[in-house]
Amino acid sequence: MNLSMRWLKEFVPIDDMTPRAFAEAMTMSGSKVESWEIESEGIDNVVVAQVLSLEKHPNSDHLWICQMNVGSGQPVQIVTGAQNLKEGDYVPAALHNSTLPGGTKIKKGKLRGVESNGMLCSLGELGLTVHDFPNAIEDGIFVLGDDCDRTPGKNICEAIGLNDTKVEFEITSNRPDCFSVIGLAREAAATFGKPLQLHTPCVKAGNGDCSSMLDVKIETAELCRIYSARIVKNVRVKPSPRWMRERLRAMGVRPINNIVDITNYVMLEYGQPMHAFDLRFIEEGKIRVRRAQSGETITTLDGVERKLTPDQLVIADAKKPVAIAGVMGGEYSGIMDDTTTIVFESANFLGSSVRVTARDQGMRTDASARYEKGLDPNNCLPALQRACELVELMDAGDVMDGILIDDCYSKKQRRIPMDAAWINRFLDIDLTQEQMADILQKIGCVMDQGDIVIPSYRPDLEHKADIAEEIARFYGYNKVASTSIRGGAQGKYSERQIFDRAISETMLALGLDEIMTYSFISPKYYDKINLSENHPLRKSVTISNPLGEDTSIMRTIALPSMLETLSRNYNNRNAEAHLFELAKEYIPTQDDKLPIEKNKLIAGLYGEKIDFFALKGMVETLLDKLSVYEYDIEAVSDNESYHPGRCARLTIDGEELGILGEIHPLVTEQYGISSRIYSFTLDADVMFAHAQREKQYKPLPKFPAVTRDLALICDDSIPVLTLEKAMKKAAGSLLESIKLFDVYKGKQIQSGKKSVAFSITLRSADSTLTDEQAVTTVNRIMKALEALGAVLRS
């Protein structure tokens, strides 16, 4: 929400307040200020100048030599290419050493040999548009009209009103009253202890009775609490006066014409959205607030034909909808150049209904953004009167007598018992009930027989805790004493959180960077990783209201998300990337209940130092750090996403633990990557289930170890891990460690065979091993190896 400080000062006398002091105080009292901007910042040494004379440039057929009166007593010569000037015009002149918005510097120089001491400015060069000054032209020099201060030498920002201060507030959704100048004025008055100077609209009217011209009726009382309207005839559509255009611009709204600007002005001032209908297009002079009928359509002001449903509220005439209530009017409901009679509408619609309708129609407007938060029904009539007052003030039409209204809401005031003792205990402060009452009266509350009467524009005040919050923010949060948290509860990580943190810390220590990707993906991602048409992972949970096709399903596999990230890094010319993610995969269930969420650790790497064995080493290091042991690894060639000769599957107790390997070249090609990509995916839930989280202490050995080296010949297809497991089982408790130190395949080894060498360390915890014990253990190991077809290399 933007706020014009100049507009605010009409309601609260804070002329001596700097923007910084204002922002800090308002933030401390609960109205958070995001930023502020002075409109004239970035414009320096630009003044009003009068054209004294125009002379053709001797060396150009389109340049003019202008003698300008800039208030310095001596004419200043400026060369310009504009063709819309004449003697006597008043224009903005950027003099020598001036600055324009965007940091543009203007200095004197020569144009085709003729000295020019500055530049004459257009609207665009001052950061303005023709909407700000409708009588100016867009592609020429900005000629000041009689609504500007045309004193030569006057600072241009002051002369044209480009010197307001805009303050941006972050308004929470429970404070709809603060989406208005008056609402923020109430907050400012309470914050600074200043009087609030509100204006009561006064409408003279006297141009005939309108009761016979229009009939207003609410047919759906649960969705519309009040609908009010007034008729203005002899409408004179023209640009709004400069003061209104300035305020709209400062608030971030583009001026259009006087009637449309009035509705926007009132919405900003009162927070009450309004609409103006052309009476010609209201059939039979009837307005009905009703639910849309099945099959009805409406073409809205943006030119889009929209289908309506019975749960959507519309403003209709005798035959058709003319507006979607609280969202947008129909195409024939707007103000046109030949409009003569209009109907000003001010209504209060149920916020939840407007929010659902705007969502279903895929449109969100300034009006719907306010309605959906819940507005004050008592604000409708003052806003309507203010609009008619502005019509008279701006001579935009003739207001007719009478207000057309249908009222369906309860005017019962909300009351909350005053409990000063409870508030003092709750906030740990010491204020009297009278002091609290003084604070509450500043925000519009009234004390009555021990109760607090809540103003209708404060729907957020429902309980005594809300009252305590109001007292705390205006008493001063900095005055509330700090207290320690009472009670013995202490937060701590769960075992699973500790485990997941260990995964992340280990991956970071291995040199990988953590990423986070969306769980929503495109169905096309499955094609890019070569999943077959009938692959079970293609069955995904479909999003009912996706942002687009690229985020229309929930992923059943995290690999495409990782490859997309690697592709971006590769195409941004990053020489290497080592990434990981603790990702979720969503597997749909048979009965269409919530999907099964699987926690997976996925890593993706490319670079000069990365190959299959480096990847396998990372996996082994991770599993060792997590105390996940006794897993099996086997080569696989049937995974469509991985290279058939460089892929392996990990299992533990018959349960799949994960997969690792090089991504299939066809897959990397589809991602636009010409480098080899390596990846592994591990099931974090399986790792957690098999991790040995309880550590057992083992004392340092007291007796020496015996080391034996075994060089074996075995089939090339036998994994080293299979040999190691057989050796561990046969050695029993005397085995301390097994280390692989050589694998050889070559001319000296029979085809289809390989040489594998291990270093075995044996040790007893009770005594020094004898040669007989060592030989017996090695013989058992060899017997187990021979059962696998492995023999000692001769």
Side-chain angles (χ1 to χ4, degrees):
M1 171 73 184
N2 288 337
L3 175 67
S4 160
M5 289 292 288
R6 185 180 296 161
W7 197 348
L8 176 70
K9 290 173 184 178
E10 273 196 8
F11 300 104
V12 185
I14 51 171
D15 295 318
D16 57 343
M17 189 74 60
T18 64
R20 177 176 293 277
F22 176 78
E24 290 177 351
M26 291 294 286
T27 299
M28 286 302 296
S29 68
S31 301
K32 183 183 178 184
V33 173
E34 290 286 338
S35 63
W36 72 83
E37 175 189 351
I38 300 174
E39 288 184 324
S40 59
E41 278 187 345
I43 301 177
D44 183 45
N45 201 23
V46 182
V47 301
V48 175
Q50 184 185 19
V51 180
L52 299 177
S53 66
L54 291 166
E55 179 185 345
K56 275 286 189 181
H57 194 293
N59 300 320
S60 173
D61 58 357
H62 71 280
L63 293 178
W64 293 87
I65 303 172
C66 306
Q67 300 299 325
M68 309 297 298
N69 174 13
V70 297
S72 61
Q74 295 294 326
V76 173
Q77 180 172 290
I78 296 177
V79 178
T80 181
Q83 306 299 311
N84 66 312
L85 295 180
K86 64 181 185 299
E87 291 184 4
D89 282 344
Y90 294 88
V91 297
L95 304 180
H96 176 57
N97 285 331
S98 59
T99 306
L100 295 177
T104 303
K105 302 288 185 181
I106 304 298
K107 295 182 179 295
K108 66 181 180 179
K110 289 187 177 182
L111 290 177
R112 298 203 176 183
V114 176
E115 183 177 359
S116 179
N117 294 292
M119 182 183 78
L120 305 184
C121 301
S122 66
L123 281 171
E125 286 159 341
L126 295 176
L128 301 170
T129 70
V130 290
H131 296 286
D132 299 305
F133 289 91
N135 295 322
I137 62 174
E138 194 165 11
D139 56 353
I141 298 301
F142 174 27
V143 178
L144 276 61
D146 55 11
D147 60 347
C148 300
D149 185 342
R150 299 192 292 188
T151 304
K154 183 80 171 180
N155 182 294
I156 192 64
C157 295
E158 296 179 10
I160 65 175
L162 190 63
N163 56 350
D164 200 351
T165 299
K166 300 184 289 187
V167 182
E168 181 185 358
F169 284 87
E170 178 188 335
I171 308 298
T172 55
S173 58
N174 69 325
R175 290 299 306 274
D177 58 306
C178 287
F179 283 91
S180 66
V181 178
I182 290 178
L184 290 173
R186 290 191 183 105
E187 291 292 302
T191 299
F192 300 108
K194 301 284 186 178
L196 180 64
Q197 302 166 349
L198 294 182
H199 167 69
T200 302
C202 177
V203 182
K204 298 176 182 177
N207 295 288
D209 184 46
C210 68
S211 58
S212 62
M213 299 174 64
L214 192 67
D215 179 44
V216 171
K217 186 172 180 59
I218 298 173
E219 296 181 358
T220 313
E222 69 274 14
L223 299 182
C224 180
R225 288 172 282 191
I226 180 174
Y227 191 96
S228 60
R230 289 199 75 159
I231 296 179
V232 179
K233 65 180 182 180
N234 301 325
V235 170
R236 297 173 281 278
V237 179
K238 56 186 177 181
S240 299
R242 199 191 87 184
W243 62 267
M244 178 173 280
R245 300 197 305 269
E246 287 176 6
R247 292 186 177 184
L248 292 176
R249 181 183 67 233
M251 300 288 285
V253 176
R254 184 183 58 151
I256 298 175
N257 60 51
N258 53 356
I259 302 300
V260 176
D261 291 350
I262 284 172
T263 61
N264 287 331
Y265 188 92
V266 173
M267 180 182 70
L268 294 171
E269 187 174 42
Y270 282 78
Q272 172 63 42
M274 294 190 63
H275 190 68
F277 293 102
D278 191 326
L279 186 60
R280 290 178 298 174
F281 301 109
I282 299 178
E283 298 280 352
E284 300 180 14
K286 294 182 179 180
I287 287 183
R288 297 292 181 263
V289 184
R290 60 171 174 82
R291 293 179 184 271
Q293 297 172 3
S294 180
E296 275 190 319
T297 62
I298 183 174
T299 301
T300 46
L301 284 169
D302 55 4
V304 178
E305 184 179 3
R306 302 179 184 277
K307 294 181 180 179
L308 301 171
T309 60
D311 59 344
Q312 296 176 354
L313 190 68
V314 297
I315 311 300
D317 58 21
K319 297 181 179 179
K320 65 185 183 303
V322 295
I324 302 176
V327 183
M328 185 179 288
E331 67 175 333
Y332 294 114
S333 69
I335 304 305
M336 306 177 187
D337 291 338
D338 60 346
T339 297
T340 59
T341 306
I342 62 172
V343 179
F344 274 126
E345 163 202 276
S346 181
N348 186 270
F349 306 113
L350 184 65
S352 57
S353 172
V354 174
R355 180 169 61 251
V356 171
T357 299
R359 182 200 65 192
D360 292 346
Q361 291 292 347
M363 55 196 298
R364 195 166 190 266
T365 61
D366 287 338
S368 69
R370 284 170 165 80
Y371 273 123
E372 68 185 22
K373 294 173 177 64
L375 299 182
D376 178 12
N378 292 321
N379 210 19
C380 290
L381 286 178
L384 182 64
Q385 293 291 83
R386 176 59 166 159
C388 293
E389 180 185 48
L390 290 171
V391 167
E392 295 179 340
L393 178 66
M394 295 161 53
D395 190 31
D398 302 326
V399 181
M400 300 186 70
D401 294 324
I403 300 176
L404 304 162
I405 186 170
D406 194 5
D407 186 349
C408 303
Y409 76 100
S410 171
K411 299 178 178 61
K412 183 179 179 181
Q413 294 179 312
R414 285 176 292 126
R415 304 171 75 95
I416 299 176
M418 179 64 163
D419 190 344
W422 182 89
I423 292 172
N424 278 328
R425 291 196 306 272
F426 184 70
L427 298 176
D428 196 14
I429 60 176
D430 186 17
L431 293 179
T432 65
Q433 182 165 316
E434 289 72 21
Q435 289 173 312
M436 294 182 184
D438 288 341
I439 292 175
L440 295 174
Q441 287 170 0
K442 291 180 181 180
I443 60 172
C445 295
V446 176
M447 301 301 300
D448 181 33
Q449 298 180 356
D451 288 343
I452 306 166
V453 181
I454 307 300
S456 58
Y457 55 80
R458 290 300 302 273
D460 58 310
L461 301 183
E462 297 179 344
H463 310 286
K464 59 183 179 180
D466 301 324
I467 299 299
E469 181 184 3
E470 296 300 298
I471 291 172
R473 67 191 186 97
F474 289 112
Y475 170 69
Y477 290 120
N478 56 327
K479 297 179 183 178
V480 178
S482 300
T483 55
S484 301
I485 297 177
R486 292 182 287 271
Q490 292 183 350
K492 64 178 182 178
Y493 291 113
S494 66
E495 285 194 14
R496 182 54 191 264
Q497 289 173 321
I498 294 172
F499 185 78
D500 288 345
R501 285 169 64 88
I503 293 176
S504 296
E505 290 170 357
T506 304
M507 297 301 289
L508 292 170
L510 288 170
L512 283 78
D513 296 309
E514 187 169 9
I515 64 172
M516 295 180 68
T517 60
Y518 290 115
S519 299
F520 306 136
I521 64 171
S522 167
K524 297 177 182 178
Y525 281 16
Y526 296 145
D527 297 327
K528 294 181 75 172
I529 62 171
N530 283 352
L531 284 189
S532 57
E533 291 185 4
N534 58 352
H535 199 288
L537 289 179
R538 281 186 176 269
K539 185 180 180 183
S540 309
V541 176
T542 303
I543 308 301
S544 59
N545 57 339
L547 297 175
E549 185 184 0
D550 289 343
T551 55
S552 59
I553 62 172
M554 301 186 76
R555 66 187 178 196
T556 57
I557 180 171
L559 181 61
S561 303
M562 175 59 70
L563 293 177
E564 287 287 338
T565 307
L566 291 174
S567 175
R568 281 196 297 274
N569 278 271
Y570 183 83
N571 290 306
N572 285 334
R573 299 186 179 183
N574 290 329
E576 60 180 23
H578 305 163
L579 310 175
F580 79 95
E581 179 183 11
L582 277 167
K584 283 191 180 293
E585 297 174 349
Y586 299 86
I587 309 302
T589 56
Q590 295 289 340
D591 50 4
D592 291 331
K593 292 184 178 179
L594 291 176
I596 300 171
E597 297 185 21
K598 292 190 173 182
N599 298 287
K600 297 294 183 73
L601 168 67
I602 182 168
L605 310 93
Y606 70 82
E608 290 184 1
K609 299 180 181 180
I610 300 300
D611 56 20
F612 179 85
F613 296 104
L615 187 76
K616 180 172 175 287
M618 289 180 181
V619 173
E620 290 173 340
T621 301
L622 172 67
L623 294 175
D624 182 65
K625 291 293 183 182
L626 299 177
S627 301
V628 178
Y629 308 118
E630 305 302 327
Y631 54 87
D632 296 311
I633 184 168
E634 59 179 348
V636 294
S637 59
D638 58 351
N639 191 303
E640 300 109 318
S641 303
Y642 287 84
H643 192 295
R646 299 167 189 159
C647 179
R649 179 183 295 112
L650 289 87
T651 58
I652 185 167
D653 291 343
E655 192 173 6
E656 184 166 331
L657 177 59
I659 193 165
L660 73 153
E662 180 184 333
I663 299 299
H664 199 291
L666 294 178
V667 175
T668 58
E669 182 180 346
Q670 294 193 79
Y671 282 93
I673 303 174
S674 57
S675 176
R676 290 184 176 183
I677 301 294
Y678 295 89
S679 177
F680 68 78
T681 302
L682 297 176
D683 193 317
D685 298 327
V686 174
M687 288 193 293
F688 180 72
H690 290 85
Q692 298 180 13
R693 289 183 290 280
E694 290 187 4
K695 308 295 182 182
Q696 291 185 348
Y697 167 74
K698 290 184 178 180
L700 293 174
K702 298 179 180 179
F703 302 99
V706 174
T707 303
R708 296 288 186 268
D709 292 342
L710 297 179
L712 308 171
I713 300 292
C714 65
D715 291 339
D716 191 18
S717 60
I718 299 178
V720 171
L721 185 61
T722 302
L723 299 176
E724 288 184 355
K725 285 194 168 189
M727 296 163 69
K728 289 178 181 179
K729 186 175 181 180
S733 60
L734 295 182
L735 180 67
E736 185 174 87
S737 67
I738 299 176
K739 292 184 180 179
L740 173 72
F741 66 86
D742 183 56
V743 177
Y744 174 76
K745 290 183 285 187
K747 295 181 180 180
Q748 301 179 14
I749 304 297
Q750 183 181 350
S751 177
K753 300 287 187 178
K754 63 182 175 183
S755 171
V756 184
F758 295 95
S759 176
I760 302 172
T761 302
L762 305 175
R763 192 194 304 268
S764 171
D766 303 324
S767 60
T768 301
L769 286 179
T770 64
D771 288 341
E772 182 179 355
Q773 288 176 304
V775 170
T776 301
T777 301
V778 171
N779 288 338
R780 287 202 307 270
I781 291 174
M782 285 306 306
K783 188 175 180 180
L785 292 172
E786 289 170 359
L788 297 174
V791 297
L792 284 174
R793 181 178 176 181
S794 57

